[in-house]
Amino acid sequence: MKITSSAICLTVDDVPASAAFLTRHFGFGEAMAAEGFVSLAREDAPNVVFLRRGIEVLPEGLREQHAAGVIVAFVVADLDAEYERLRSEGAPITLPLREEPWGERLFQVTDPNGVVVQLVAWADPEHL
């Protein structure tokens, strides 16, 4: 098997709100869209797909579930600069910048549908 691309699919109530959040704050662009669906892309990350809760493309038992308990994490080169940039843009920082005992530095923002986006860097670059 050869994987040619990858995507993270999340079910939300307001697809345009989540799409606008990733577009504005994380530089994703719309790759394709239809009613209740948007696929966002950028060259250096997996695509992020938002599906409207209840859409028929979802298996029947999952249609009414909402993305929960999922963290979309991106490792970045300059975590401090990204933290300051997102603060200045007014992105809701829901977990302030911190360092974990195992050497991971991170912070989290949350989109209008409750999707958590975590930016990460290693305190010790040897972990990369």
Side-chain angles (χ1 to χ4, degrees):
M1 171 175 64
K2 180 180 179 186
I3 297 174
T4 59
S5 66
S6 59
I8 300 162
C9 298
L10 302 164
T11 306
V12 297
D13 289 322
D14 187 345
V15 169
S18 285
F21 186 83
L22 280 190
T23 300
R24 176 178 179 213
H25 296 299
F26 295 96
F28 279 81
E30 186 178 292
M32 62 183 97
E35 180 64 32
F37 161 87
V38 68
S39 177
L40 302 175
R42 56 177 286 157
E43 208 171 283
D44 57 352
N47 286 14
V48 177
V49 175
F50 291 108
L51 299 169
R52 185 188 65 242
R53 195 164 55 94
I55 197 166
E56 290 185 11
V57 71
L58 293 167
E60 192 172 330
L62 300 177
R63 287 184 191 155
E64 293 306 318
Q65 292 186 11
H66 183 277
V70 174
I71 295 174
V72 178
F74 299 118
V75 177
V76 297
D78 189 342
L79 188 66
D80 295 304
E82 295 301 330
Y83 184 76
E84 290 307 319
R85 178 185 65 80
L86 288 165
R87 278 181 32 151
S88 72
E89 290 176 0
I93 295 176
T94 50
L95 181 67
L97 188 59
R98 61 192 273 172
E99 185 171 327
E100 300 296 347
W102 51 88
E104 183 181 36
R105 297 183 66 234
L106 61 96
F107 70 93
Q108 296 173 351
V109 296
T110 302
D111 90 346
N113 283 292
V115 175
V116 176
V117 178
Q118 178 172 291
L119 296 186
V120 179
W122 292 101
D124 176 5
E126 294 291 316
H127 287 92
L128 295 176

